[in-house]
Amino acid sequence: MTDLLLLPGDGIGPEVTAQARRVAQAVAPDLSIAEALFGGCSFDAHGTPLTDAVLGAAKSARAVLMGAVGGPQWADAPRDRRPEAGLLNLRAGMEVYANLRPALCFPALADASSLKRHLVEGLDLMIVRELTGGIYFGSPRFIEDLPGGGKRAVDTQVYTTGEIERVARVAFQLARGRRNLVHSAEKSNVMDSGLLWRQVVTDLHAREFPDVRLEHILADNAAMQIVRDPRQFDVLVTDNLFGDILSDAAAQLTGSLGMLPSAALGDAGRPGLYEPIHGSAPDIAGQGIANPLASILSLEMAFRWSLGRPEAADRILAAVVRALDAGARTRDLGGSLTTVQMGDAVLAAL
Ligand code: NAD
Ligand code: IPM
Ligand code: MN
């Protein structure tokens, strides 16, 4: 059985995943690692971004570490076979509905943030993004021609009680091990799905988590509060689309989008899907300058949440802290290290 399936993907995906692989081999030489094509490179080879064989391998591995997918080369691929569609099918196929996106401000990087040091020092925010529902998956979705000219495009936001409850439960459980506070963000002022979201979270809270503090917040206000005073948050649970947007904003507080890892989890005992939250970065792909830390920290989360090796996770986290403390910086963090040199710095710190 494969412990860790690597899906490096496109653009900077293979560049950053190669560094995570080196770290995995250093902390756990016994780990069985496999690698497969996924995303645009799979579309080029097989005509589809996600083959049945790769989905099967992902479901039977203990953890999957994805790099990034997509890029301008595939902009004109059929919609259902674009690299990004493959990623949605992978998430849905693995049934990983709860996406943990931790925004941690490492002490050495407090000055790399776009916010002032006193606002981000000690930041430890956990965004829990619903990952297999909402407008990403709702139907109908289409673009149609209008009789008088022009077109009409439709996407559908859908949520069921069960979908909201299971992701909110993850958020409440996480909060219990942290600062015991959950913010739930939606647009219940304008959307029916937001209204149901608020009701379901309120009911679940009363029924199962009365000991956790719960605050409801409208998603637009949440965006503002994240850049005004991010440390007021502990766990922030929200839907698929709001979570996508709010997590990119939160990433920048930590110094760079290249710092934010993620863990996508399903029911207990199922494999997790780990991925940096950034994309394939076509603007810097092939130059060897991407920051590999989001990938390395995603590996850290895999050791913690799927591979049952918290001590390996602790070692990786400590090594990243030590490398940053020693001044290791890729370009996005204001330094000049290459991707490989940042990998070297983490390995040396191990
Ligand atoms: P992006 O995240 O790829 O890049 C945004 C900006 O951040 C770019 O300037 C990029 O250079 C920079 N950046 C991102 N990661 C970095 C890293 N590790 N080190 C240094 N700089 C980094 O977003 P985009 O440009 O909007 O999207 C590009 C492609 O990636 C699109 O096809 C998009 O659909 C796809 N995408 C994929 C994923 C994924 O696979 N999980 C996530 C987001 C976007
Ligand atoms: C992310 C990405 C993906 C998303 C895209 C590439 C499908 O932006 O993981 O944040 O929107 O979920
Ligand atoms: Mn995103």
Side-chain angles (χ1 to χ4, degrees), residues 306-326:
S306 288
L307 298 172
R309 297 198 189 184
E311 69 301 332
D314 290 344
R315 281 188 66 203
I316 296 172
L317 190 58
V320 168
V321 168
R322 220 170 300 138
L324 291 170
D325 284 348

Side-chain angles (χ1 to χ4, degrees), residues 69 84 87-88 91 101 129 131 136 240 244 247-248 275-277:
V69 296
E84 291 84 353
L87 179 53
L88 299 193
R91 290 170 178 170
R101 298 189 157 195
R129 170 193 181 190
L131 200 63
Y136 277 64
N240 205 340
D244 179 43
S247 58
D248 262 39
E275 41 172 317
I277 79 156

Side-chain angles (χ1 to χ4, degrees), residues 97-100 126-130 163-185 197 201 204-205 208-209 211-215 234-239 265 305:
Y97 54 82
N99 189 204
L100 281 45
M126 178 67 88
I127 294 181
V128 179
R129 170 193 181 190
E130 198 291 324
E163 285 172 327
I164 300 167
E165 226 172 59
R166 64 186 183 177
V167 72
R169 188 173 284 116
V170 170
F172 284 122
Q173 281 163 349
L174 278 170
R176 276 186 177 153
R178 297 167 47 99
R179 282 169 284 138
N180 218 35
L181 170 63
V182 170
H183 280 79
S184 170
W197 184 283
V201 173
L204 178 72
H205 175 248
E208 295 181 24
F209 301 96
D211 54 304
V212 180
R213 223 174 97 210
L214 169 65
E215 301 276 351
D234 177 16
V235 176
L236 174 63
V237 64
T238 191
D239 77 15
L265 307 175
W305 295 94

Side-chain angles (χ1 to χ4, degrees), residues 15-23 106 108-109 112 254-256 258-259 278 288-297 316-350:
E15 301 172 31
V16 297
T17 308
Q19 301 313 309
R21 177 193 262 261
R22 293 173 72 200
V23 172
F106 289 93
L109 293 184
T254 71
S256 165
M259 290 301 299
H278 63 70
I289 57 169
N291 184 349
L293 291 183
S295 181
I296 290 170
L297 291 168
I316 296 172
L317 190 58
V320 168
V321 168
R322 220 170 300 138
L324 291 170
D325 284 348
R329 302 278 186 281
T330 40
R331 231 170 53 174
D332 53 311
L333 296 171
S336 59
L337 291 193
T338 64
T339 308
V340 174
Q341 286 169 337
M342 184 58 110
D344 292 343
V346 173
L347 284 170
L350 273 175

Side-chain angles (χ1 to χ4, degrees), residues 21-335:
R21 177 193 262 261
R22 293 173 72 200
V23 172
Q25 284 164 336
V27 295
D30 58 314
L31 203 71
S32 69
I33 301 180
E35 194 168 314
L37 287 183
F38 170 64
C41 56
S42 169
F43 177 80
D44 291 345
H46 304 296
T48 172
L50 176 63
T51 62
D52 292 343
V54 170
L55 177 58
K59 283 161 74 165
S60 59
R62 293 179 64 206
V64 178
L65 179 65
M66 209 274 286
V69 296
Q73 308 92 296
W74 300 285
D76 298 322
R79 179 138 205 98
D80 60 332
R81 273 176 287 150
R82 293 186 55 178
E84 291 84 353
L87 179 53
L88 299 193
N89 289 336
L90 179 65
R91 290 170 178 170
M94 292 180 71
E95 296 177 75
V96 284
Y97 54 82
N99 189 204
L100 281 45
R101 298 189 157 195
L104 271 183
C105 182
F106 289 93
L109 293 184
D111 290 316
S113 169
S114 1
L115 290 193
K116 296 183 186 73
R117 166 182 278 275
H118 75 270
L119 292 172
V120 293
E121 228 165 11
L123 173 72
D124 179 3
L125 156 65
M126 178 67 88
I127 294 181
V128 179
R129 170 193 181 190
E130 198 291 324
L131 200 63
T132 53
I135 201 159
Y136 277 64
F137 294 93
S139 64
R141 61 177 302 162
F142 57 83
I143 302 178
E144 65 182 3
D145 292 317
L146 288 176
K151 292 173 192 281
R152 179 170 166 265
V154 174
D155 289 287
T156 304
Q157 163 94 336
V158 200
Y159 272 111
T160 63
T161 304
E163 285 172 327
I164 300 167
E165 226 172 59
R166 64 186 183 177
V167 72
R169 188 173 284 116
V170 170
F172 284 122
Q173 281 163 349
L174 278 170
R176 276 186 177 153
R178 297 167 47 99
R179 282 169 284 138
N180 218 35
L181 170 63
V182 170
H183 280 79
S184 170
E186 28 62 9
K187 284 285 288 177
S188 56
N189 52 345
V190 288
M191 296 166 74
D192 281 5
S193 57
L195 202 57
L196 181 68
W197 184 283
R198 186 175 286 223
Q199 284 164 357
V200 170
V201 173
T202 302
D203 291 350
L204 178 72
H205 175 248
R207 236 176 26 246
E208 295 181 24
F209 301 96
D211 54 304
V212 180
R213 223 174 97 210
L214 169 65
E215 301 276 351
H216 298 284
I217 184 166
L218 296 175
D220 50 350
N221 183 24
M224 186 276 282
Q225 296 295 343
I226 280 176
V227 293
R228 190 187 73 87
D229 174 22
R231 285 176 312 186
Q232 69 185 285
F233 296 103
D234 177 16
V235 176
L236 174 63
V237 64
T238 191
D239 77 15
N240 205 340
L241 183 60
F242 295 146
D244 179 43
I245 296 167
L246 295 176
S247 58
D248 262 39
Q252 188 53 38
L253 305 180
T254 71
S256 165
L257 186 54
M259 290 301 299
L260 227 77
S262 84
L265 307 175
D267 289 336
R270 308 290 288 273
L273 171 61
Y274 298 83
E275 41 172 317
I277 79 156
H278 63 70
S280 54
D283 54 336
I284 58 166
Q287 298 178 34
I289 57 169
N291 184 349
L293 291 183
S295 181
I296 290 170
L297 291 168
S298 297
L299 174 74
E300 180 259 336
M301 295 186 87
F303 274 113
R304 204 176 292 287
W305 295 94
S306 288
L307 298 172
R309 297 198 189 184
E311 69 301 332
D314 290 344
R315 281 188 66 203
I316 296 172
L317 190 58
V320 168
V321 168
R322 220 170 300 138
L324 291 170
D325 284 348
R329 302 278 186 281
T330 40
R331 231 170 53 174
D332 53 311
L333 296 171

